[in-house]
């Protein structure tokens, strides 16, 4: 999880970039913060998907086999 101050700084730099030109140093910082944010987002989203079970209206488990295999490897599913 990205700390609150980093998210605030990311938002500040993004707004500054839209409003005016930012320095090369700030642009590098912005890119680093975006990269860190996306890494955390992807990790969190992946975990959420890995813990998902898909059930159709009849109550049958229709989770894709690829996801079931990942869940078995991580001991989420038997």
């Amino acid at each position: 999880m990205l700390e609150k101050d980093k998210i605030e700084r990311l938002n500040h730099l993004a707004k500054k970039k839209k409003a005016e030109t930012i320095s090369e140093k700030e642009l590098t910082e912005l890119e680093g913060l975006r990269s860190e944010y996306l890494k955390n987002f992807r990790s969190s989203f992946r975990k959420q998907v890995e813990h998902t079970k898909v059930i159709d209206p009849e109550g049958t488990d229709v989770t894709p086999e690829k996801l079931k295999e990942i869940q078995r490897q991580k001991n989420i599913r038997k």
Side-chain angles (χ1 to χ4, degrees):
M1 175 73 69
L2 208 59
E3 296 98 35
K4 186 177 179 180
D5 60 328
K6 285 187 177 182
I7 292 173
E8 288 173 358
R9 180 69 176 156
L10 173 64
N11 289 332
H12 171 75
L13 290 172
K15 287 177 187 174
K16 187 174 179 181
K17 183 179 177 189
K18 277 187 174 181
E20 57 189 73
T21 59
I22 62 175
S23 71
E24 194 65 35
K25 182 179 177 184
E26 289 174 323
L27 186 58
T28 302
E29 181 184 4
L30 176 62
E31 290 170 357
L33 288 170
R34 277 189 180 150
S35 176
E36 186 177 351
Y37 175 82
L38 287 173
K39 180 182 172 189
N40 287 323
F41 174 83
R42 288 178 181 127
S43 173
S44 175
F45 188 76
R46 182 175 292 114
K47 287 177 186 174
Q48 183 178 357
V49 170
E50 288 172 353
H51 286 83
T52 299
K53 186 174 185 178
V54 183
I55 307 294
D56 70 6
E58 289 81 35
T60 307
D61 183 359
V62 292
T63 306
E65 283 302 318
K66 184 175 180 179
L67 179 55
K68 285 181 183 179
E69 184 57 36
I70 291 169
Q71 290 171 341
R72 285 185 199 104
Q73 290 171 358
K74 296 189 177 201
N75 295 321
I76 298 169
R77 179 186 289 262
K78 294 180 181 181

Coordinates of all heavy atoms in Angstrom, one line a residue:
M1 N 0.8 -1.2 0.0 CA 0.0 0.0 0.0 C 0.9 1.2 0.0 O 1.8 1.3 0.8 CB -0.9 0.0 1.2 CG -1.8 1.2 1.4 SD -3.2 1.5 0.4 CE -4.4 0.3 0.7
L2 N 0.6 2.2 -0.9 CA 1.3 3.4 -1.0 C 0.9 4.3 0.2 O -0.3 4.5 0.5 CB 1.0 4.1 -2.3 CG 2.0 4.9 -2.9 CD1 3.3 4.2 -3.2 CD2 1.5 5.5 -4.2
E3 N 1.9 5.0 0.8 CA 1.6 5.8 1.9 C 0.8 7.1 1.5 O 0.9 7.5 0.3 CB 2.8 6.3 2.6 CG 3.7 5.2 3.3 CD 4.8 4.8 2.4 OE1 5.4 5.6 1.7 OE2 5.1 3.6 2.4
K4 N 0.0 7.6 2.4 CA -0.9 8.7 2.1 C -0.1 9.9 1.5 O -0.5 10.6 0.6 CB -1.7 9.1 3.3 CG -2.7 10.2 3.1 CD -3.5 10.5 4.3 CE -4.5 11.6 4.0 NZ -5.3 11.9 5.2
D5 N 1.1 10.2 2.1 CA 1.9 11.4 1.7 C 2.4 11.2 0.3 O 2.5 12.1 -0.5 CB 3.0 11.7 2.6 CG 4.0 10.5 2.8 OD1 3.5 9.4 2.8 OD2 5.2 10.8 3.1
K6 N 2.7 9.9 -0.1 CA 3.1 9.7 -1.5 C 2.0 9.9 -2.5 O 2.2 10.4 -3.6 CB 3.7 8.3 -1.6 CG 5.1 8.1 -1.0 CD 5.7 6.8 -1.3 CE 7.1 6.6 -0.8 NZ 7.7 5.3 -1.1
I7 N 0.8 9.4 -2.1 CA -0.3 9.6 -3.0 C -0.7 11.1 -3.2 O -0.9 11.5 -4.3 CB -1.6 8.8 -2.4 CG1 -1.3 7.3 -2.5 CG2 -2.8 9.2 -3.2 CD1 -2.4 6.4 -1.9
E8 N -0.6 11.8 -2.1 CA -0.8 13.3 -2.2 C 0.2 13.9 -3.1 O -0.1 14.8 -3.9 CB -0.8 13.9 -0.8 CG -2.0 13.5 0.1 CD -2.0 14.0 1.5 OE1 -0.9 14.6 1.9 OE2 -2.9 13.8 2.2
R9 N 1.5 13.5 -2.9 CA 2.5 14.1 -3.8 C 2.3 13.7 -5.2 O 2.5 14.5 -6.1 CB 3.9 13.6 -3.3 CG 5.1 14.1 -4.0 CD 5.3 15.6 -3.8 NE 6.5 16.0 -4.6 CZ 6.7 17.2 -5.0 NH1 5.9 18.2 -4.7 NH2 7.8 17.5 -5.6
L10 N 1.9 12.5 -5.5 CA 1.6 12.0 -6.8 C 0.5 12.9 -7.4 O 0.7 13.4 -8.6 CB 1.2 10.6 -6.8 CG 0.7 10.0 -8.1 CD1 1.8 10.0 -9.2 CD2 0.3 8.5 -7.9
N11 N -0.5 13.1 -6.7 CA -1.6 13.9 -7.2 C -1.2 15.4 -7.4 O -1.6 16.0 -8.4 CB -2.8 13.9 -6.2 CG -3.5 12.5 -6.2 OD1 -3.5 11.8 -7.2 ND2 -4.1 12.1 -5.1
H12 N -0.4 15.9 -6.5 CA 0.1 17.3 -6.6 C 0.9 17.4 -7.9 O 0.7 18.4 -8.7 CB 0.9 17.7 -5.4 CG 1.6 19.0 -5.6 ND1 1.0 20.2 -5.5 CD2 2.9 19.3 -5.8 CE1 1.8 21.1 -5.7 NE2 3.0 20.6 -5.9
L13 N 1.8 16.5 -8.1 CA 2.7 16.6 -9.3 C 1.9 16.4 -10.6 O 2.1 17.1 -11.6 CB 3.8 15.6 -9.3 CG 4.9 15.8 -8.2 CD1 5.8 14.7 -8.1 CD2 5.7 17.1 -8.5
A14 N 0.9 15.5 -10.6 CA 0.0 15.3 -11.8 C -0.8 16.6 -12.1 O -0.9 17.0 -13.3 CB -0.9 14.1 -11.5
K15 N -1.3 17.2 -11.1 CA -2.0 18.5 -11.3 C -1.1 19.6 -11.8 O -1.5 20.3 -12.7 CB -2.7 18.9 -10.0 CG -3.9 18.1 -9.6 CD -4.5 18.5 -8.3 CE -5.6 17.6 -7.9 NZ -6.1 17.9 -6.5
K16 N 0.1 19.6 -11.2 CA 1.1 20.6 -11.6 C 1.5 20.4 -13.1 O 1.6 21.4 -13.9 CB 2.3 20.6 -10.7 CG 3.3 21.7 -11.0 CD 4.4 21.7 -9.9 CE 5.4 22.8 -10.2 NZ 6.5 22.8 -9.3
K17 N 1.6 19.2 -13.5 CA 2.0 18.8 -14.9 C 0.9 19.3 -15.8 O 1.2 19.8 -16.9 CB 2.3 17.4 -15.0 CG 2.7 17.0 -16.4 CD 3.0 15.5 -16.5 CE 3.4 15.2 -17.9 NZ 3.5 13.7 -18.2
K18 N -0.4 19.1 -15.5 CA -1.5 19.5 -16.3 C -1.6 21.1 -16.4 O -1.9 21.6 -17.5 CB -2.8 19.0 -15.8 CG -3.1 17.6 -16.2 CD -4.5 17.2 -15.7 CE -4.9 15.9 -16.3 NZ -6.3 15.5 -15.8
A19 N -1.3 21.7 -15.3 CA -1.5 23.2 -15.2 C -0.3 23.9 -15.9 O -0.5 25.0 -16.4 CB -1.6 23.6 -13.8
E20 N 0.9 23.4 -15.7 CA 2.1 24.1 -16.2 C 3.2 23.1 -16.5 O 3.0 21.9 -16.3 CB 2.5 25.2 -15.2 CG 2.8 24.5 -13.8 CD 3.1 25.5 -12.7 OE1 2.1 26.2 -12.3 OE2 4.2 25.7 -12.3
T21 N 4.3 23.6 -16.8 CA 5.4 22.7 -17.0 C 6.1 22.5 -15.7 O 6.2 23.3 -14.8 CB 6.5 23.3 -18.0 OG1 6.9 24.6 -17.5 CG2 5.9 23.5 -19.4
I22 N 6.6 21.2 -15.5 CA 7.2 20.9 -14.3 C 8.7 20.6 -14.6 O 9.1 20.3 -15.8 CB 6.6 19.7 -13.6 CG1 6.6 18.4 -14.4 CG2 5.2 20.0 -13.2 CD1 6.1 17.2 -13.7
S23 N 9.5 20.7 -13.6 CA 11.0 20.5 -13.8 C 11.3 19.0 -14.2 O 10.4 18.2 -13.9 CB 11.8 20.9 -12.6 OG 11.5 20.0 -11.6
E24 N 12.4 18.8 -14.7 CA 12.9 17.5 -15.1 C 12.9 16.6 -13.8 O 12.5 15.4 -13.8 CB 14.2 17.5 -15.7 CG 14.6 16.2 -16.4 CD 13.7 15.9 -17.6 OE1 13.2 16.8 -18.3 OE2 13.4 14.7 -17.8
K25 N 13.4 17.2 -12.7 CA 13.5 16.4 -11.4 C 12.1 16.0 -11.0 O 11.8 14.9 -10.5 CB 14.1 17.3 -10.4 CG 14.3 16.6 -9.0 CD 15.0 17.6 -8.1 CE 15.1 16.9 -6.7 NZ 15.7 17.8 -5.7
E26 N 11.1 16.9 -11.1 CA 9.7 16.6 -10.7 C 9.1 15.6 -11.6 O 8.4 14.7 -11.1 CB 8.9 17.9 -10.6 CG 9.2 18.8 -9.5 CD 8.4 20.1 -9.6 OE1 8.2 20.7 -10.7 OE2 8.1 20.6 -8.5
L27 N 9.4 15.7 -12.9 CA 8.9 14.7 -13.8 C 9.4 13.3 -13.5 O 8.7 12.3 -13.5 CB 9.3 15.1 -15.2 CG 8.7 14.3 -16.4 CD1 7.2 14.3 -16.3 CD2 9.1 14.8 -17.7
T28 N 10.7 13.2 -13.2 CA 11.3 11.9 -12.8 C 10.6 11.4 -11.5 O 10.3 10.2 -11.4 CB 12.8 12.1 -12.5 OG1 13.4 12.6 -13.8 CG2 13.5 10.8 -12.2
E29 N 10.4 12.3 -10.5 CA 9.7 11.9 -9.3 C 8.3 11.4 -9.6 O 7.9 10.4 -9.0 CB 9.7 13.1 -8.3 CG 9.0 12.7 -7.0 CD 8.9 13.9 -6.1 OE1 9.3 15.1 -6.5 OE2 8.4 13.7 -4.9
L30 N 7.6 12.1 -10.5 CA 6.2 11.7 -10.8 C 6.2 10.3 -11.5 O 5.4 9.5 -11.1 CB 5.6 12.8 -11.8 CG 4.3 12.5 -12.4 CD1 3.2 12.4 -11.3 CD2 3.9 13.5 -13.4
E31 N 7.1 10.1 -12.4 CA 7.2 8.8 -13.0 C 7.5 7.7 -12.0 O 6.9 6.6 -12.1 CB 8.3 8.8 -14.1 CG 7.9 9.6 -15.3 CD 9.0 9.9 -16.3 OE1 10.1 9.4 -16.1 OE2 8.7 10.5 -17.3
G32 N 8.4 7.9 -11.1 CA 8.7 6.9 -10.0 C 7.5 6.6 -9.1 O 7.2 5.5 -8.8
L33 N 6.8 7.7 -8.8 CA 5.6 7.5 -7.9 C 4.5 6.8 -8.7 O 3.8 5.9 -8.1 CB 5.1 8.9 -7.4 CG 5.9 9.6 -6.4 CD1 5.4 11.0 -6.2 CD2 5.9 8.8 -5.1
R34 N 4.3 7.1 -9.9 CA 3.3 6.4 -10.8 C 3.7 4.9 -10.9 O 2.8 4.0 -10.8 CB 3.2 7.0 -12.2 CG 2.4 8.2 -12.3 CD 2.2 8.6 -13.7 NE 1.3 9.8 -13.8 CZ 1.4 10.7 -14.7 NH1 2.2 10.5 -15.7 NH2 0.6 11.7 -14.7
S35 N 4.9 4.6 -11.1 CA 5.4 3.3 -11.2 C 5.1 2.5 -9.9 O 4.6 1.4 -10.0 CB 6.9 3.2 -11.5 OG 7.4 1.9 -11.6
E36 N 5.4 3.1 -8.8 CA 5.2 2.5 -7.5 C 3.7 2.3 -7.3 O 3.3 1.2 -6.8 CB 5.8 3.3 -6.4 CG 5.7 2.7 -5.0 CD 6.4 3.5 -3.9 OE1 7.1 4.5 -4.3 OE2 6.2 3.2 -2.8
Y37 N 2.9 3.3 -7.6 CA 1.4 3.2 -7.4 C 0.9 2.0 -8.3 O 0.1 1.2 -7.8 CB 0.8 4.5 -7.8 CG -0.7 4.4 -7.8 CD1 -1.4 4.6 -6.6 CD2 -1.5 4.2 -9.0 CE1 -2.8 4.5 -6.6 CE2 -2.8 4.1 -8.9 CZ -3.5 4.3 -7.7 OH -4.9 4.2 -7.7
L38 N 1.3 2.0 -9.6 CA 0.8 0.9 -10.4 C 1.2 -0.5 -10.0 O 0.4 -1.4 -10.1 CB 1.2 1.1 -11.9 CG 0.5 2.3 -12.6 CD1 1.2 2.6 -13.9 CD2 -0.9 2.0 -12.7
K39 N 2.4 -0.6 -9.5 CA 2.9 -1.9 -9.0 C 2.0 -2.3 -7.8 O 1.6 -3.5 -7.8 CB 4.4 -1.7 -8.5 CG 5.0 -3.0 -7.9 CD 6.4 -2.8 -7.5 CE 6.9 -4.0 -6.7 NZ 8.2 -3.7 -6.1
N40 N 1.7 -1.4 -6.9 CA 0.9 -1.8 -5.7 C -0.5 -2.1 -6.2 O -1.2 -3.0 -5.7 CB 0.9 -0.6 -4.7 CG 2.1 -0.5 -4.0 OD1 2.8 -1.5 -3.6 ND2 2.6 0.7 -3.7
F41 N -1.1 -1.3 -7.1 CA -2.4 -1.5 -7.6 C -2.5 -2.9 -8.3 O -3.5 -3.7 -8.0 CB -2.8 -0.4 -8.7 CG -4.1 -0.7 -9.3 CD1 -5.3 -0.3 -8.7 CD2 -4.2 -1.3 -10.5 CE1 -6.5 -0.6 -9.3 CE2 -5.4 -1.6 -11.1 CZ -6.6 -1.2 -10.5
R42 N -1.6 -3.2 -9.1 CA -1.6 -4.5 -9.8 C -1.5 -5.7 -8.8 O -2.2 -6.7 -9.0 CB -0.5 -4.6 -10.9 CG -0.7 -3.7 -12.0 CD 0.4 -3.8 -13.0 NE 0.1 -2.9 -14.2 CZ 1.0 -1.9 -14.6 NH1 2.2 -1.8 -14.0 NH2 0.7 -1.2 -15.6
S43 N -0.7 -5.6 -7.9 CA -0.5 -6.6 -6.8 C -1.8 -6.8 -6.1 O -2.3 -7.9 -5.9 CB 0.6 -6.2 -5.9 OG 0.7 -7.1 -4.8
S44 N -2.4 -5.7 -5.7 CA -3.7 -5.8 -4.9 C -4.8 -6.4 -5.8 O -5.6 -7.2 -5.3 CB -4.1 -4.4 -4.5 OG -5.4 -4.4 -3.9
F45 N -4.9 -6.0 -7.1 CA -5.9 -6.5 -8.0 C -5.7 -7.9 -8.2 O -6.7 -8.7 -8.2 CB -5.9 -5.7 -9.3 CG -7.0 -6.0 -10.2 CD1 -8.3 -5.5 -9.9 CD2 -6.9 -6.8 -11.3 CE1 -9.4 -5.8 -10.7 CE2 -7.9 -7.1 -12.1 CZ -9.2 -6.6 -11.8
R46 N -4.5 -8.4 -8.4 CA -4.2 -9.8 -8.7 C -4.6 -10.6 -7.5 O -5.2 -11.7 -7.7 CB -2.6 -10.0 -8.9 CG -2.3 -11.4 -9.2 CD -0.8 -11.5 -9.6 NE -0.5 -10.9 -10.8 CZ 0.3 -9.8 -11.0 NH1 0.9 -9.2 -9.9 NH2 0.4 -9.2 -12.1
K47 N -4.3 -10.2 -6.3 CA -4.8 -10.9 -5.1 C -6.3 -11.0 -5.0 O -6.8 -12.0 -4.6 CB -4.2 -10.2 -3.8 CG -2.7 -10.5 -3.6 CD -2.2 -9.7 -2.4 CE -0.7 -9.8 -2.3 NZ -0.2 -9.0 -1.3
Q48 N -7.0 -9.9 -5.4 CA -8.4 -9.9 -5.3 C -9.0 -10.9 -6.3 O -9.9 -11.7 -6.0 CB -9.0 -8.5 -5.7 CG -10.5 -8.4 -5.6 CD -11.0 -7.0 -5.9 OE1 -10.2 -6.1 -6.1 NE2 -12.2 -6.9 -5.9
V49 N -8.4 -11.0 -7.5 CA -8.9 -11.9 -8.6 C -8.6 -13.3 -8.1 O -9.4 -14.2 -8.3 CB -8.2 -11.6 -9.9 CG1 -8.5 -12.7 -10.9 CG2 -8.8 -10.3 -10.5
E50 N -7.4 -13.6 -7.6 CA -7.0 -14.9 -7.1 C -7.9 -15.5 -6.1 O -8.0 -16.7 -5.9 CB -5.6 -14.9 -6.6 CG -4.6 -14.7 -7.8 CD -3.1 -14.6 -7.3 OE1 -2.9 -14.4 -6.1 OE2 -2.2 -14.5 -8.1
H51 N -8.6 -14.6 -5.3 CA -9.5 -15.1 -4.3 C -11.0 -15.1 -4.7 O -11.9 -15.2 -3.9 CB -9.3 -14.2 -3.0 CG -8.1 -14.5 -2.3 ND1 -6.9 -14.0 -2.6 CD2 -7.9 -15.4 -1.2 CE1 -6.0 -14.5 -1.8 NE2 -6.5 -15.3 -0.9
T52 N -11.2 -14.9 -6.1 CA -12.5 -14.9 -6.6 C -13.0 -16.3 -7.0 O -12.3 -17.1 -7.6 CB -12.6 -14.0 -7.8 OG1 -12.2 -12.7 -7.4 CG2 -13.9 -13.9 -8.5
K53 N -14.3 -16.5 -6.7 CA -14.9 -17.8 -7.1 C -16.2 -17.4 -7.9 O -17.0 -16.5 -7.5 CB -15.4 -18.6 -5.9 CG -15.9 -19.9 -6.2 CD -16.2 -20.7 -4.9 CE -16.6 -22.1 -5.1 NZ -16.8 -22.8 -3.9
V54 N -16.3 -17.9 -9.1 CA -17.4 -17.5 -10.0 C -18.5 -18.6 -9.9 O -18.3 -19.8 -10.2 CB -16.9 -17.4 -11.5 CG1 -18.1 -16.9 -12.4 CG2 -15.7 -16.4 -11.5
I55 N -19.7 -18.1 -9.6 CA -20.9 -19.0 -9.4 C -22.0 -18.6 -10.4 O -22.3 -17.4 -10.5 CB -21.4 -19.0 -8.0 CG1 -20.4 -19.2 -7.0 CG2 -22.6 -19.9 -7.9 CD1 -19.8 -20.6 -7.0
D56 N -22.5 -19.5 -11.2 CA -23.6 -19.1 -12.1 C -24.9 -19.1 -11.4 O -25.0 -19.5 -10.2 CB -23.6 -20.1 -13.3 CG -24.1 -21.5 -13.0 OD1 -24.5 -21.8 -11.9 OD2 -24.0 -22.4 -13.9
P57 N -26.0 -18.6 -12.1 CA -27.3 -18.5 -11.4 C -27.8 -19.8 -10.8 O -28.6 -19.8 -9.8 CB -28.2 -18.0 -12.5 CG -27.3 -17.3 -13.4 CD -26.0 -18.1 -13.4
E58 N -27.4 -20.9 -11.3 CA -27.9 -22.2 -10.8 C -27.1 -22.7 -9.6 O -27.3 -23.7 -9.0 CB -27.8 -23.3 -11.9 CG -28.9 -23.2 -13.0 CD -28.5 -22.2 -14.0 OE1 -27.3 -22.0 -14.4 OE2 -29.4 -21.5 -14.5
G59 N -26.0 -21.9 -9.2 CA -25.2 -22.3 -8.1 C -24.0 -23.2 -8.4 O -23.3 -23.7 -7.5
T60 N -23.7 -23.3 -9.7 CA -22.6 -24.1 -10.1 C -21.3 -23.3 -10.2 O -21.3 -22.2 -10.7 CB -22.8 -24.7 -11.5 OG1 -24.1 -25.4 -11.5 CG2 -21.7 -25.7 -12.0
D61 N -20.2 -23.9 -9.7 CA -18.9 -23.2 -9.7 C -18.4 -23.2 -11.2 O -18.1 -24.2 -11.7 CB -17.9 -23.9 -8.8 CG -16.6 -23.2 -8.7 OD1 -16.4 -22.1 -9.4 OD2 -15.7 -23.7 -8.0
V62 N -18.3 -22.0 -11.8 CA -17.8 -21.9 -13.2 C -16.5 -21.1 -13.3 O -16.2 -20.5 -14.3 CB -18.9 -21.3 -14.1 CG1 -20.1 -22.2 -14.3 CG2 -19.4 -19.9 -13.6
T63 N -15.8 -21.2 -12.2 CA -14.5 -20.5 -12.1 C -13.6 -21.0 -13.2 O -13.5 -22.3 -13.4 CB -13.8 -20.6 -10.8 OG1 -14.7 -20.2 -9.8 CG2 -12.5 -19.8 -10.7
P64 N -12.9 -20.2 -14.0 CA -12.0 -20.7 -15.1 C -11.0 -21.6 -14.5 O -10.4 -21.4 -13.4 CB -11.4 -19.4 -15.7 CG -12.4 -18.3 -15.3 CD -13.0 -18.7 -14.0
E65 N -10.6 -22.6 -15.3 CA -9.6 -23.6 -14.8 C -8.3 -23.0 -14.5 O -7.6 -23.4 -13.6 CB -9.5 -24.7 -15.9 CG -10.6 -25.8 -15.8 CD -10.7 -26.4 -14.5 OE1 -9.7 -26.8 -13.8 OE2 -11.9 -26.6 -14.1
K66 N -7.9 -22.0 -15.3 CA -6.6 -21.3 -15.1 C -6.6 -20.7 -13.7 O -5.6 -20.8 -13.0 CB -6.4 -20.3 -16.2 CG -5.0 -19.6 -16.1 CD -4.8 -18.6 -17.3 CE -3.5 -18.0 -17.2 NZ -3.3 -17.1 -18.3
L67 N -7.7 -20.1 -13.3 CA -7.8 -19.4 -12.0 C -7.8 -20.5 -10.9 O -7.2 -20.3 -9.9 CB -9.0 -18.5 -11.9 CG -9.2 -17.8 -10.6 CD1 -8.0 -17.0 -10.2 CD2 -10.4 -16.9 -10.7
K68 N -8.5 -21.6 -11.2 CA -8.6 -22.6 -10.2 C -7.2 -23.2 -9.9 O -6.8 -23.5 -8.8 CB -9.5 -23.8 -10.7 CG -11.0 -23.5 -10.6 CD -11.7 -24.7 -11.0 CE -13.2 -24.4 -11.0 NZ -14.0 -25.6 -11.5
E69 N -6.4 -23.4 -11.0 CA -5.0 -23.9 -10.8 C -4.2 -22.9 -10.0 O -3.4 -23.4 -9.2 CB -4.4 -24.1 -12.2 CG -3.0 -24.8 -12.1 CD -3.0 -26.1 -11.4 OE1 -4.0 -26.9 -11.5 OE2 -2.0 -26.4 -10.7
I70 N -4.3 -21.6 -10.3 CA -3.5 -20.6 -9.5 C -3.9 -20.7 -8.0 O -3.1 -20.7 -7.1 CB -3.7 -19.2 -10.1 CG1 -3.1 -19.1 -11.5 CG2 -3.2 -18.2 -9.1 CD1 -3.5 -17.9 -12.2
Q71 N -5.2 -20.9 -7.8 CA -5.7 -20.9 -6.4 C -5.2 -22.2 -5.7 O -4.9 -22.2 -4.5 CB -7.3 -20.9 -6.4 CG -7.8 -19.6 -6.8 CD -9.3 -19.6 -7.1 OE1 -9.9 -20.6 -7.3 NE2 -9.9 -18.4 -7.0
R72 N -5.1 -23.3 -6.5 CA -4.6 -24.5 -5.9 C -3.1 -24.4 -5.5 O -2.7 -24.8 -4.5 CB -4.8 -25.7 -6.9 CG -6.2 -26.2 -6.9 CD -6.3 -27.5 -7.8 NE -7.7 -27.7 -8.2 CZ -8.1 -27.4 -9.4 NH1 -7.3 -26.9 -10.4 NH2 -9.4 -27.6 -9.7
Q73 N -2.4 -23.8 -6.4 CA -0.9 -23.5 -6.2 C -0.7 -22.7 -4.9 O 0.3 -22.9 -4.2 CB -0.3 -22.9 -7.4 CG -0.2 -23.8 -8.6 CD 0.3 -23.0 -9.8 OE1 0.5 -21.8 -9.8 NE2 0.4 -23.7 -10.9
K74 N -1.6 -21.8 -4.7 CA -1.4 -20.9 -3.5 C -2.2 -21.3 -2.3 O -2.4 -20.6 -1.4 CB -1.9 -19.5 -3.9 CG -1.0 -18.9 -5.0 CD -1.2 -17.5 -5.3 CE -0.2 -17.0 -6.3 NZ 0.0 -15.6 -6.3
N75 N -2.7 -22.6 -2.4 CA -3.5 -23.2 -1.3 C -4.7 -22.4 -0.9 O -5.1 -22.3 0.3 CB -2.6 -23.4 -0.1 CG -1.5 -24.5 -0.3 OD1 -1.8 -25.5 -1.0 ND2 -0.4 -24.2 0.2
I76 N -5.4 -21.8 -1.9 CA -6.6 -21.0 -1.7 C -7.8 -22.0 -1.9 O -8.8 -21.9 -1.3 CB -6.7 -19.8 -2.6 CG1 -5.5 -18.9 -2.3 CG2 -8.0 -19.1 -2.5 CD1 -5.3 -17.7 -3.3
R77 N -7.6 -22.9 -2.8 CA -8.6 -23.9 -3.2 C -8.0 -25.3 -3.1 O -6.9 -25.5 -3.3 CB -9.0 -23.6 -4.7 CG -10.1 -24.5 -5.2 CD -10.3 -24.3 -6.7 NE -11.0 -23.0 -6.9 CZ -12.3 -23.0 -7.2 NH1 -13.0 -24.0 -7.2 NH2 -12.9 -21.8 -7.4
K78 N -8.9 -26.2 -2.7 CA -8.5 -27.6 -2.6 C -8.6 -28.3 -3.9 O -9.3 -28.0 -4.8 CB -9.3 -28.3 -1.6 CG -9.1 -27.8 -0.2 CD -9.9 -28.5 0.8 CE -9.6 -27.9 2.2 NZ -10.4 -28.5 3.3

